[in-house]
């Protein structure tokens, strides 16, 4: 989905409320923040300082403590949503709005610059093929009288309006004593009462005592399920364990705790039990406090005594000593609980939460955090599994590519290699190597598919290319033998798969349902330097044809198209020989360059690659490669969707 060029506003709550734009602000602040982990804290400080100033300048009842509490929660949710799901800089705005141009309220706006990702609303249609949406907005919908999304060209703004008249304030938190989230003096939200319902959502007024109690019980169930659903949605798919720890802090503080900390066990050593210290110990990955000014002091206090829970604890909460000295005069007493993070039977770390002013946590909170801890452990386990696979893929990728590119006498080479999947094996490969007897060979190939299947073909093709070239085989003979090798290997793989199916009692698949043939497009050439130039012999097997740029800017296509390797038996390949003189440049590319798309157009439509190369006359090999790479990237608005590789050979 591309950028939406015209403004469109969607209100997911209170659809009959007038749009927030157009109303005259009574007071306003605005800033731009980098889209990083510190953005939410900076936004909260901005809003808190503005509300402090407005509370002194306005009527006492306009900016209440409850309004400040809600505003901090809302701006934190909106900024976190933008940072996690857009990753761009964010613009934060907060303003008091009179009723003359629209409804009176406190409006919070957060703008990012990635409008192609829609924020999810309960009534919005959810396409099955888009993996990520805005998350964590149900709490915003609960606190606001109206909220919505405004799309503009290049930007998306999520806004929320909080009431000034306290219409929702006094009825929403029967389980709390009404103290605000106030860390202006360096303290967190530490004066909440023991009730858990107020942490999860609104309550209603006008009930009898019995009806209110029944409503509280019902809301706790619904609020807990909503919270866990949003938490699962937010943690799912996170591929970095430190990011999982950071998101856990944002989920728990200040909703369920004043502070939290996440320790992660070293995966190499694992959990050794409380009586067996591990060298280095668990790593304190994240500390989160409702007041940023207390975070570092709390971190230092917690690092001195990491929690070590016995294996018999499993995931139930265990009381811990209260780190009162690190929390200031208002945090001298409180309750702290530790939860082991276990996934697949393997302890991965420990989650600790704390709340000041309470002898113990209410049961509904401890149970809810226990459920959350299981989800956090699963997310950490998934992130570690991804990290292991990414490491294996990187090692495999390094083994499939040459450690160094050979230097050819009289020829300057430059290479651009950009796999689309940074963490996995690419389908493109290259090689430049000496073949003996005054010959150097080069290859640029593209395997059908990606990942392990592509790695198998590259691991087969590249060593055989070197072996056959060093044995003295000519360019056509190398392709003939490599073609037969790929066909034989595919046949053996299909036979082995069929035998395995027969042994398991499963039906043997039809030929077109079995293992795919291992197709390979390849540009392979041989260079022989001589006085005054370099003789080049090359052949293209199902590969984009190379282009030759002369010193005067003329461009010619070299070689001719031939059949892919690994497709047809008994095919005979042919080659072409020509000379490169000083100033001549040979450009070889994969289809990630020629088929780079911008809408329905491709980069090589209308001889686009030849035109781009003609503009490189007189440039060095390095500058030519960089210019082509830049033009390919600039051709489309979105990043390239295929691996990209190009090789430039310039006779000196």
């Amino acid at each position: 989905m591309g950028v939406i060029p015209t403004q469109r506003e969607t209100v997911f709550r209170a659809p009959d409320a007038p749009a927030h734009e157009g109303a005259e602000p009574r007071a306003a602040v605005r800033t731009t923040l980098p889209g990083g982990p510190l953005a939410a804290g900076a936004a909260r400080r901005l809003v808190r300082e503005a509300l402090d100033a407005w509370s002194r300048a306005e009527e006492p009842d306009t900016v209440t403590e409850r309004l400040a509490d809600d505003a901090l929660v809302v701006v934190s949710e909106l900024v976190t949503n933008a940072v996690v799901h857009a990753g761009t800089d964010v613009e934060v705005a907060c303003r008091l709005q009179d009723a003359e141009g629209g409804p009176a309220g406190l409006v919070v706006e957060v703008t990012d610059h990635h409008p192609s990702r829609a924020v999810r609303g309960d009534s919005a249609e959810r396409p099955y093929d888009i993996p990520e949406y805005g998350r964590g907005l149900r709490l915003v919908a609960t606190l606001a009288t109206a909220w919505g999304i405004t799309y503009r060209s290049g930007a998306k703004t999520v806004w929320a309006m909080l009431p000034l008249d306290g219409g929702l304030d006094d009825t929403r938190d029967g389980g709390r004593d009404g103290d605000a989230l106030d860390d202006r003096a360096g303290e967190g939200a530490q004066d909440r009462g023991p009730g858990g319902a107020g942490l999860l959502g609104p309550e209603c007024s006008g009930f009898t005592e019995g009806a209110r109690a029944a409503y509280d019980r019902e809301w706790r169930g619904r609020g807990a399920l909503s919270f866990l659903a949003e938490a699962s949605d937010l943690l799912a798919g996170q591929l970095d364990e430190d990011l999982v720890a950071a998101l856990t802090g944002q989920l728990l503080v200040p909703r369920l705790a004043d502070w939290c900390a996440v320790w992660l066990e070293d995966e190499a050593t694992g959990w050794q039990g409380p009586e067996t210290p591990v060298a280095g110990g668990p790593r304190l990955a994240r500390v989160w406090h409702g007041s940023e000014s207390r975070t570092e002091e709390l971190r230092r206090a917690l690092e001195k005594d990491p929690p070590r829970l016995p294996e018999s604890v499993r995931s139930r909460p265990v009381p811990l000593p209260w780190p009162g000295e690190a929390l200031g005069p208002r945090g001298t007493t409180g309750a702290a609980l530790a939860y082991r993070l276990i996934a697949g039977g393997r302890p991965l770390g420990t989650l600790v939460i704390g709340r000041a002013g309470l002898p113990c946590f209410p049961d509904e909170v401890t149970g809810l955090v226990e459920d959350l801890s299981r989800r956090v452990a699963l997310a950490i386990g998934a992130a570690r599994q991804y990290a292991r696979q990414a490491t294996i893929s990187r090692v495999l990728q390094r083994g499939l590519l040459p450690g160094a590119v050979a230097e050819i006498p009289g020829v300057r080479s430059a290479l651009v290699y950009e796999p689309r999947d940074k963490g996995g094996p690419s389908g493109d490969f290259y090689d430049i190597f000496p073949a003996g007897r005054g010959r150097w060979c080069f290859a640029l190939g593209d395997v059908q598919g990606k990942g392990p299947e592509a790695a198998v073909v590259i691991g087969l093709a590249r060593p055989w290319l070197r072996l056959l070239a060093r044995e003295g085989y000519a360019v056509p003979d190398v392709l003939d033998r490599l073609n037969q090798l790929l066909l034989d290997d595919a046949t053996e793989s299909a036979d082995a798969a069929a035998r395995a199916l027969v042994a398991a009692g499963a039906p043997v698949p039809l030929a077109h349902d079995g293992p795919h043939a291992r197709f390979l497009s390849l540009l392979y050439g041989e260079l022989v330097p001589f006085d005054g130039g370099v003789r080049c012999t090359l052949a293209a097997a199902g590969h984009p044809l190379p282009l030759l740029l002369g010193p005067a800017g003329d461009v010619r296509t070299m070689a001719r198209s031939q059949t892919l390797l690994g497709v047809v038996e008994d095919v005979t390949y042919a080659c072409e020989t020509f000379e490169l003189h000083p100033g001549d440049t040979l450009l070889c590319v994969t289809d990630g360059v020629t088929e780079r798309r911008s809408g329905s157009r491709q980069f090589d439509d209308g001889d686009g690659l030849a035109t781009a190369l003609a503009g490189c006359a007189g440039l060095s090999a390095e500058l030519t490669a960089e210019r082509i790479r830049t033009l390919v990237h600039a051709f489309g608005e979105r990043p390239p969707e295929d691996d990209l590789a190009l090789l430039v050979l310039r006779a000196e």
Side-chain angles (χ1 to χ4, degrees), residues 33 42 60 204 227 232 267 329 350 383 399 424 458 483 500 512 517 615:
L33 302 171
C204 288
F227 172 78
S232 300
E267 192 169 18
T350 305
I458 296 173
N483 178 60
H512 62 272

Side-chain angles (χ1 to χ4, degrees), residues 13 66 70 73 122 137-145 162-163 166-176 195-207 211-227 255:
R13 212 171 161 250
R66 181 54 48 78
D70 291 348
V73 173
D122 291 339
L137 294 176
R138 288 195 181 122
L139 183 59
V140 175
T142 299
L143 296 175
T145 56
L162 303 175
L168 296 179
D169 290 350
D170 296 334
T171 63
R172 188 168 50 224
D173 275 281
R176 290 195 278 175
L199 299 173
L200 304 176
E203 297 180 3
C204 288
S205 60
F207 285 163
R212 188 182 192 89
Y215 181 84
D216 286 351
R217 289 192 299 271
E218 178 188 359
W219 174 252
R220 285 170 184 166
R222 292 188 293 110
L225 291 176
S226 176
F227 172 78
R255 299 174 188 170

Side-chain angles (χ1 to χ4, degrees), residues 446 521 523 540-546 561 587-592 594-595 609:
D446 185 0
S521 77
L523 181 65
H543 201 83
L545 299 181
S561 297
L587 173 64
C588 311
V589 303
T590 60
D591 60 10
T594 56
E595 297 178 5
L609 181 59

